[in-house]
Amino acid sequence: MSDILDRLDEVLASRRQAAPEDSYVASLHHRGLNKILEKVGEEATETLLAAKDAEHGDEVTRQALIAETADLWFHSLVMLSHLGLDHTQVLDELSRRFGLSGHDEKAARQR
């Protein structure tokens, strides 16, 4: 599954320097980090609302949650790209946490 993330990372990198009028991703980079963060926040809110609907919803509302989550992940990847980071670093961090108690991991961060 990380193959799609690798492919997406390549596309995001190639579009970072593209003309803003030719690429949505380029237009976000051109508008700067604050615009990208605004989109991440917007997508996070839409994901939360879709999750509330999906809790007791039908297949349509559950699919809407999947679509909103994809939007959130996409815009989060744009944010990472803008900052010179990528999904592999996030996956490495998740891997590092795997097998740790969530309580222990959170306590370790607070030190």
Side-chain angles (χ1 to χ4, degrees):
M1 239 335 136
S2 71
D3 179 53
I4 188 66
L5 293 174
D6 292 336
R7 290 174 38 212
L8 186 53
D9 186 56
E10 290 173 16
V11 170
L12 292 176
S14 72
R15 296 201 179 145
R16 187 165 180 194
Q17 303 304 323
E21 59 275 3
D22 295 338
S23 163
Y24 173 70
V25 171
S27 72
L28 287 173
H29 284 297
H30 181 74
R31 294 171 77 185
L33 182 60
N34 283 345
K35 182 59 180 176
I36 296 167
L37 296 177
E38 181 183 309
K39 288 301 296 178
V40 171
E42 176 186 315
E43 297 303 340
T45 299
E46 290 174 2
T47 301
L48 295 173
L49 294 172
K52 291 294 284 179
D53 291 343
E55 183 178 26
H56 301 291
D58 59 10
E59 188 57 33
V60 171
T61 60
R62 298 176 75 74
Q63 186 56 44
L65 173 58
I66 297 301
E68 292 299 344
T69 302
D71 289 346
L72 175 59
W73 288 12
F74 175 81
H75 286 89
S76 295
L77 292 170
V78 173
M79 175 191 65
L80 290 172
S81 173
H82 190 80
L83 296 170
L85 303 168
D86 67 44
H87 70 280
T88 60
Q89 293 160 290
V90 176
L91 294 176
D92 289 345
E93 177 62 15
L94 289 172
S95 179
R96 183 191 70 76
R97 294 179 187 185
F98 196 82
L100 283 176
S101 156
H103 295 297
D104 291 344
E105 192 280 325
K106 187 172 182 179
R109 280 189 278 156
Q110 294 174 355
R111 291 186 196 140

PDB file of all heavy atoms in Angstrom, residues 35-51:
ATOM      1  N   LYS A  35      -2.027  28.869   3.663  1.00  0.00           N
ATOM      2  CA  LYS A  35      -3.133  28.361   2.843  1.00  0.00           C
ATOM      3  C   LYS A  35      -3.204  26.837   2.935  1.00  0.00           C
ATOM      4  O   LYS A  35      -4.294  26.264   3.027  1.00  0.00           O
ATOM      5  CB  LYS A  35      -2.970  28.800   1.381  1.00  0.00           C
ATOM      6  CG  LYS A  35      -4.112  28.338   0.497  1.00  0.00           C
ATOM      7  CD  LYS A  35      -5.454  28.877   0.982  1.00  0.00           C
ATOM      8  CE  LYS A  35      -6.604  28.423   0.108  1.00  0.00           C
ATOM      9  NZ  LYS A  35      -7.884  28.860   0.637  1.00  0.00           N
ATOM     10  N   ILE A  36      -2.049  26.197   2.917  1.00  0.00           N
ATOM     11  CA  ILE A  36      -2.022  24.736   3.041  1.00  0.00           C
ATOM     12  C   ILE A  36      -2.587  24.318   4.394  1.00  0.00           C
ATOM     13  O   ILE A  36      -3.412  23.396   4.479  1.00  0.00           O
ATOM     14  CB  ILE A  36      -0.596  24.190   2.830  1.00  0.00           C
ATOM     15  CG1 ILE A  36      -0.136  24.474   1.393  1.00  0.00           C
ATOM     16  CG2 ILE A  36      -0.520  22.699   3.156  1.00  0.00           C
ATOM     17  CD1 ILE A  36       1.345  24.260   1.159  1.00  0.00           C
ATOM     18  N   LEU A  37      -2.186  24.998   5.446  1.00  0.00           N
ATOM     19  CA  LEU A  37      -2.705  24.676   6.783  1.00  0.00           C
ATOM     20  C   LEU A  37      -4.206  24.931   6.874  1.00  0.00           C
ATOM     21  O   LEU A  37      -4.927  24.167   7.527  1.00  0.00           O
ATOM     22  CB  LEU A  37      -1.964  25.493   7.846  1.00  0.00           C
ATOM     23  CG  LEU A  37      -0.475  25.197   7.981  1.00  0.00           C
ATOM     24  CD1 LEU A  37       0.154  26.126   9.013  1.00  0.00           C
ATOM     25  CD2 LEU A  37      -0.209  23.742   8.300  1.00  0.00           C
ATOM     26  N   GLU A  38      -4.660  25.975   6.217  1.00  0.00           N
ATOM     27  CA  GLU A  38      -6.103  26.236   6.163  1.00  0.00           C
ATOM     28  C   GLU A  38      -6.837  25.054   5.530  1.00  0.00           C
ATOM     29  O   GLU A  38      -7.885  24.623   6.020  1.00  0.00           O
ATOM     30  CB  GLU A  38      -6.348  27.510   5.352  1.00  0.00           C
ATOM     31  CG  GLU A  38      -7.789  27.914   5.222  1.00  0.00           C
ATOM     32  CD  GLU A  38      -7.936  29.148   4.343  1.00  0.00           C
ATOM     33  OE1 GLU A  38      -7.230  30.152   4.592  1.00  0.00           O
ATOM     34  OE2 GLU A  38      -8.751  29.095   3.397  1.00  0.00           O
ATOM     35  N   LYS A  39      -6.285  24.518   4.450  1.00  0.00           N
ATOM     36  CA  LYS A  39      -6.905  23.367   3.775  1.00  0.00           C
ATOM     37  C   LYS A  39      -6.859  22.130   4.672  1.00  0.00           C
ATOM     38  O   LYS A  39      -7.837  21.377   4.733  1.00  0.00           O
ATOM     39  CB  LYS A  39      -6.210  23.080   2.442  1.00  0.00           C
ATOM     40  CG  LYS A  39      -6.504  24.095   1.358  1.00  0.00           C
ATOM     41  CD  LYS A  39      -7.986  24.199   1.032  1.00  0.00           C
ATOM     42  CE  LYS A  39      -8.546  22.924   0.460  1.00  0.00           C
ATOM     43  NZ  LYS A  39      -9.987  22.990   0.170  1.00  0.00           N
ATOM     44  N   VAL A  40      -5.751  21.907   5.389  1.00  0.00           N
ATOM     45  CA  VAL A  40      -5.674  20.763   6.299  1.00  0.00           C
ATOM     46  C   VAL A  40      -6.744  20.903   7.379  1.00  0.00           C
ATOM     47  O   VAL A  40      -7.468  19.938   7.674  1.00  0.00           O
ATOM     48  CB  VAL A  40      -4.264  20.628   6.920  1.00  0.00           C
ATOM     49  CG1 VAL A  40      -4.246  19.576   8.026  1.00  0.00           C
ATOM     50  CG2 VAL A  40      -3.230  20.289   5.848  1.00  0.00           C
ATOM     51  N   GLY A  41      -6.887  22.100   7.935  1.00  0.00           N
ATOM     52  CA  GLY A  41      -7.911  22.331   8.957  1.00  0.00           C
ATOM     53  C   GLY A  41      -9.323  22.127   8.424  1.00  0.00           C
ATOM     54  O   GLY A  41     -10.166  21.516   9.084  1.00  0.00           O
ATOM     55  N   GLU A  42      -9.560  22.628   7.220  1.00  0.00           N
ATOM     56  CA  GLU A  42     -10.871  22.466   6.586  1.00  0.00           C
ATOM     57  C   GLU A  42     -11.188  20.988   6.378  1.00  0.00           C
ATOM     58  O   GLU A  42     -12.294  20.525   6.688  1.00  0.00           O
ATOM     59  CB  GLU A  42     -10.860  23.206   5.246  1.00  0.00           C
ATOM     60  CG  GLU A  42     -12.096  23.059   4.416  1.00  0.00           C
ATOM     61  CD  GLU A  42     -11.920  23.717   3.043  1.00  0.00           C
ATOM     62  OE1 GLU A  42     -11.400  24.845   2.982  1.00  0.00           O
ATOM     63  OE2 GLU A  42     -12.307  23.081   2.045  1.00  0.00           O
ATOM     64  N   GLU A  43     -10.209  20.256   5.864  1.00  0.00           N
ATOM     65  CA  GLU A  43     -10.426  18.826   5.614  1.00  0.00           C
ATOM     66  C   GLU A  43     -10.568  18.049   6.917  1.00  0.00           C
ATOM     67  O   GLU A  43     -11.355  17.088   6.986  1.00  0.00           O
ATOM     68  CB  GLU A  43      -9.303  18.249   4.751  1.00  0.00           C
ATOM     69  CG  GLU A  43      -9.203  18.855   3.358  1.00  0.00           C
ATOM     70  CD  GLU A  43     -10.471  18.744   2.531  1.00  0.00           C
ATOM     71  OE1 GLU A  43     -11.343  17.904   2.826  1.00  0.00           O
ATOM     72  OE2 GLU A  43     -10.593  19.519   1.558  1.00  0.00           O
ATOM     73  N   ALA A  44      -9.854  18.453   7.958  1.00  0.00           N
ATOM     74  CA  ALA A  44      -9.996  17.792   9.260  1.00  0.00           C
ATOM     75  C   ALA A  44     -11.416  17.977   9.796  1.00  0.00           C
ATOM     76  O   ALA A  44     -12.034  17.020  10.283  1.00  0.00           O
ATOM     77  CB  ALA A  44      -8.964  18.334  10.251  1.00  0.00           C
ATOM     78  N   THR A  45     -11.927  19.191   9.682  1.00  0.00           N
ATOM     79  CA  THR A  45     -13.295  19.465  10.131  1.00  0.00           C
ATOM     80  C   THR A  45     -14.305  18.650   9.335  1.00  0.00           C
ATOM     81  O   THR A  45     -15.229  18.051   9.911  1.00  0.00           O
ATOM     82  CB  THR A  45     -13.602  20.970  10.013  1.00  0.00           C
ATOM     83  OG1 THR A  45     -12.684  21.683  10.854  1.00  0.00           O
ATOM     84  CG2 THR A  45     -15.034  21.278  10.432  1.00  0.00           C
ATOM     85  N   GLU A  46     -14.135  18.607   8.010  1.00  0.00           N
ATOM     86  CA  GLU A  46     -15.054  17.837   7.172  1.00  0.00           C
ATOM     87  C   GLU A  46     -14.976  16.344   7.499  1.00  0.00           C
ATOM     88  O   GLU A  46     -16.002  15.649   7.490  1.00  0.00           O
ATOM     89  CB  GLU A  46     -14.754  18.093   5.699  1.00  0.00           C
ATOM     90  CG  GLU A  46     -15.140  19.503   5.274  1.00  0.00           C
ATOM     91  CD  GLU A  46     -14.732  19.854   3.855  1.00  0.00           C
ATOM     92  OE1 GLU A  46     -14.174  18.985   3.147  1.00  0.00           O
ATOM     93  OE2 GLU A  46     -14.959  21.003   3.451  1.00  0.00           O
ATOM     94  N   THR A  47     -13.786  15.869   7.844  1.00  0.00           N
ATOM     95  CA  THR A  47     -13.629  14.459   8.222  1.00  0.00           C
ATOM     96  C   THR A  47     -14.360  14.181   9.535  1.00  0.00           C
ATOM     97  O   THR A  47     -15.054  13.157   9.663  1.00  0.00           O
ATOM     98  CB  THR A  47     -12.138  14.094   8.328  1.00  0.00           C
ATOM     99  OG1 THR A  47     -11.514  14.327   7.064  1.00  0.00           O
ATOM    100  CG2 THR A  47     -11.943  12.640   8.735  1.00  0.00           C
ATOM    101  N   LEU A  48     -14.224  15.081  10.494  1.00  0.00           N
ATOM    102  CA  LEU A  48     -14.924  14.906  11.771  1.00  0.00           C
ATOM    103  C   LEU A  48     -16.430  14.874  11.589  1.00  0.00           C
ATOM    104  O   LEU A  48     -17.122  14.021  12.166  1.00  0.00           O
ATOM    105  CB  LEU A  48     -14.548  16.037  12.740  1.00  0.00           C
ATOM    106  CG  LEU A  48     -13.098  16.092  13.197  1.00  0.00           C
ATOM    107  CD1 LEU A  48     -12.860  17.360  14.008  1.00  0.00           C
ATOM    108  CD2 LEU A  48     -12.742  14.856  13.987  1.00  0.00           C
ATOM    109  N   LEU A  49     -16.930  15.782  10.785  1.00  0.00           N
ATOM    110  CA  LEU A  49     -18.380  15.816  10.541  1.00  0.00           C
ATOM    111  C   LEU A  49     -18.852  14.554   9.816  1.00  0.00           C
ATOM    112  O   LEU A  49     -19.911  14.001  10.143  1.00  0.00           O
ATOM    113  CB  LEU A  49     -18.750  17.070   9.744  1.00  0.00           C
ATOM    114  CG  LEU A  49     -18.530  18.401  10.477  1.00  0.00           C
ATOM    115  CD1 LEU A  49     -18.746  19.574   9.536  1.00  0.00           C
ATOM    116  CD2 LEU A  49     -19.408  18.500  11.716  1.00  0.00           C
ATOM    117  N   ALA A  50     -18.060  14.097   8.858  1.00  0.00           N
ATOM    118  CA  ALA A  50     -18.415  12.870   8.138  1.00  0.00           C
ATOM    119  C   ALA A  50     -18.382  11.668   9.076  1.00  0.00           C
ATOM    120  O   ALA A  50     -19.218  10.762   8.961  1.00  0.00           O
ATOM    121  CB  ALA A  50     -17.472  12.657   6.953  1.00  0.00           C
ATOM    122  N   ALA A  51     -17.454  11.648  10.016  1.00  0.00           N
ATOM    123  CA  ALA A  51     -17.382  10.544  10.976  1.00  0.00           C
ATOM    124  C   ALA A  51     -18.620  10.516  11.867  1.00  0.00           C
ATOM    125  O   ALA A  51     -19.157   9.440  12.163  1.00  0.00           O
ATOM    126  CB  ALA A  51     -16.113  10.653  11.824  1.00  0.00           C
TER     127      ALA A  51
END
